[in-house]
Amino acid sequence: MDTRHSGFNTKLVHAGIPHDEHGSVVTPIYQTSTFAFRNAQEGADRFAGRAEGYIYTRIGNPTVTALEQNVAQLENGFGATAMASGMGAVSTVYLALLSSGDHVVSTDSVYGPSRGLMEKHLSRFGVTSTYLDTTDIENLRRAMRPNTRMVYVESPSNPAMAVTDIAAAAEIAHAHGAVLVVDNTFASPHLQKPLDLGADLVLHSITKFINGHADVVGGIVIAKTEALHKQVRSMMINLGTNMDPHQAYLVSRGLKTLALRVERAEQNAAPLAQWLEGHPAVAWVRYIGLPSHPQHELAKRQMTGFGSMIAFELKGGLEAGRILMDNVKLAGLAVSLGGVETLISHPASMTHAGMAREDRLAAGITDGLVRLSVGIEDAEDIQADLDQALAKAGGR
Ligand SMILES: *Cc1c(COP(=O)(O)O)cnc(C)c1O
């Protein structure tokens, strides 16, 4: 079925699914490492690109292709390349697009390893980078240099929920001959379409909202143009950051309900954020759907919803954070996000405990900061769980 002009939900269910000779309704798992040619000529034609067809699973596999075509349509891109993990997607994009002597400008609160890979490793190959607060677009404009080849934005970012103006970032990047890459993990393609706003490449940790069931690690890169798609794909093939067919099958299964999951989680998150904002144990709440969020108006303009990620600060700091973590019962004490289950984490004592306190604070990760990925359970149950745990953490 040609779904290119269909609605988002129809694409989720039908886009990219090939109809094989058995009429299977979902794409089967092609659990094979290699594909036999009918004769030498066919093998030669496939290698030379004269004939369509699969060669070897690192290069391409029908189960993976189905997922790639689906997500490419969701993001309105030319094509997509699925990867072993979100970081597989990030590293492949860096290596595909950057050369020695190039400069990168990026959001200071991007996903930690995306920044670490750039500052600790790409730097060894002569790539320089500037990390700054891109919620003020003038910061980005000032940081551009003649050798800036990439602007890399994460919006909303983790865990500060900072929102960057993607259309303005695209304009600045393009005026300097740079590409704009957007990490769209926190929004998902249901709430934000960066390519439509002017970005050149979009990437996702598929582990989060797209798969949505906390059972797969994966990534994907969607390119606006054929040229960029080919560059990324060729680097993926050479690096071996490909997605496995079984992974792709599970993600395709989770993806079909993306819109339902995201909408339901937002229905839970929006009133919860409001309730937290009025709670005596809570100093402040960052939820992009709240008018108190500094980029609430911008988020309203460039996104079609506010999602289900909430960050909040406990008045009691580090110790209150620990008590809260030890007393939640419904919310799972875990990193990661975007799944059907509510997860809670305390960056200062968990993911960012290894960081010097002043570096942590500079990145906006305060001692009492709690990150909540709201799931699709019953809203009353999530709130009751937090309420009893917050009471112990010192607010009543
Ligand atoms: C999790 C995450 C990544 C990394 O993805 P993995 O699948 O864990 O490799 C990248 N960016 C963001 C915003 C993430 O949340």
Side-chain angles (χ1 to χ4, degrees):
M1 178 189 172
D2 182 358
T3 50
R4 276 170 301 174
H5 302 289
S6 306
F8 192 82
N9 285 284
T10 305
K11 284 182 180 174
L12 279 174
V13 177
H14 295 288
I17 296 176
H19 291 287
D20 68 7
E21 68 267 32
H22 306 295
S24 67
V25 171
V26 298
T27 313
I29 310 172
Y30 286 88
Q31 194 70 53
T32 181
S33 61
T34 195
F35 299 84
F37 311 125
R38 269 173 300 215
N39 51 51
Q41 187 59 46
E42 187 176 71
D45 287 345
R46 286 191 189 174
F47 267 101
R50 286 187 298 266
E52 296 251 318
Y54 293 95
I55 296 171
Y56 183 62
T57 281
R58 173 162 47 74
I59 301 172
N61 176 289
T63 315
V64 181
T65 304
L67 173 66
E68 289 171 336
Q69 291 187 349
N70 191 304
V71 179
Q73 283 197 28
L74 298 179
E75 290 279 11
N76 296 327
F78 172 84
T81 307
M83 310 274 182
S85 68
M87 283 314 298
V90 174
S91 56
T92 303
V93 164
Y94 286 173
L95 289 165
L97 270 70
L98 297 169
S99 303
S100 177
D102 288 352
H103 175 244
V104 177
V105 184
S106 184
T107 313
D108 54 2
S109 56
V110 283
Y111 186 69
S114 304
R115 181 168 177 172
L117 178 64
M118 178 61 65
E119 291 185 328
K120 295 199 186 90
H121 300 288
L122 270 287
S123 59
R124 294 190 287 120
F125 303 95
V127 178
T128 53
S129 54
T130 305
Y131 284 82
L132 41 78
D133 178 5
T134 53
T135 62
D136 181 352
I137 208 71
E138 294 312 314
N139 285 339
L140 176 61
R141 199 187 305 279
R142 279 192 293 271
M144 298 299 288
R145 300 179 192 164
N147 61 335
T148 306
R149 291 275 76 84
M150 181 189 290
V151 174
Y152 183 103
V153 161
E154 186 177 308
S155 182
S157 73
N158 172 33
M161 304 307 295
V163 179
T164 298
D165 187 334
I166 294 172
E171 223 178 279
I172 295 169
H174 296 156
H176 288 79
V179 294
L180 175 65
V181 181
V182 175
D183 183 335
N184 200 27
T185 300
F186 267 50
S188 93
H190 184 39
L191 300 184
Q192 179 168 271
K193 293 185 180 57
L195 298 181
D196 290 355
L197 295 165
D200 303 287
L201 287 168
V202 170
L203 62 87
H204 287 275
S205 166
I206 249 177
T207 318
K208 317 292 166 55
F209 286 100
I210 292 184
N211 179 59
H213 291 75
D215 52 7
V216 179
V217 168
I220 199 159
V221 179
I222 307 95
K224 191 171 199 158
T225 64
E226 182 172 10
L228 279 170
H229 175 65
K230 282 186 167 161
Q231 252 179 295
V232 171
R233 191 149 193 99
S234 138
M235 184 53 71
M236 176 279 286
I237 291 167
N238 287 303
L239 283 176
T241 41
N242 59 289
M243 182 178 274
D244 175 87
H246 188 254
Q247 241 179 321
Y249 167 82
L250 285 170
V251 175
S252 293
R253 183 181 163 118
L255 177 59
K256 290 178 201 296
T257 55
L258 175 72
L260 292 174
R261 288 184 282 106
V262 166
E263 286 165 22
R264 164 70 184 219
E266 180 171 334
Q267 281 167 19
N268 284 347
L272 193 69
Q274 215 163 12
W275 171 75
L276 281 168
E277 202 164 46
H279 197 284
V282 174
W284 48 257
V285 177
R286 281 278 174 281
Y287 175 65
I288 54 176
L290 287 175
S292 60
H293 188 285
Q295 292 96 39
H296 175 65
E297 290 304 319
L298 169 61
K300 236 166 45 182
R301 266 205 321 277
Q302 72 180 11
M303 299 174 72
T304 52
F306 302 120
S308 48
M309 294 302 299
I310 302 175
F312 60 94
E313 173 75 14
L314 291 169
K315 285 182 184 156
L318 202 65
E319 190 49 29
R322 286 211 187 92
I323 297 171
L324 181 70
M325 296 301 121
D326 282 341
N327 284 284
V328 286
K329 295 185 173 78
L330 181 150
L333 199 50
V335 293
S336 198
L337 59 113
V340 292
E341 55 286 293
T342 297
L343 296 180
I344 194 163
S345 66
H346 181 223
S349 72
M350 297 174 172
T351 44
H352 298 73
M355 248 169 121
R357 185 162 181 271
E358 51 274 27
D359 291 348
R360 244 199 307 113
L361 293 179
I365 301 155
T366 44
D367 288 343
L369 185 78
V370 173
R371 193 185 77 178
L372 192 62
S373 173
V374 181
I376 64 168
E377 301 96 336
D378 289 298
E380 312 80 77
D381 291 334
I382 304 170
Q383 181 174 324
D385 184 39
L386 286 172
D387 199 26
Q388 60 82 23
L390 280 170
K392 297 188 177 99
R396 284 281 149 84

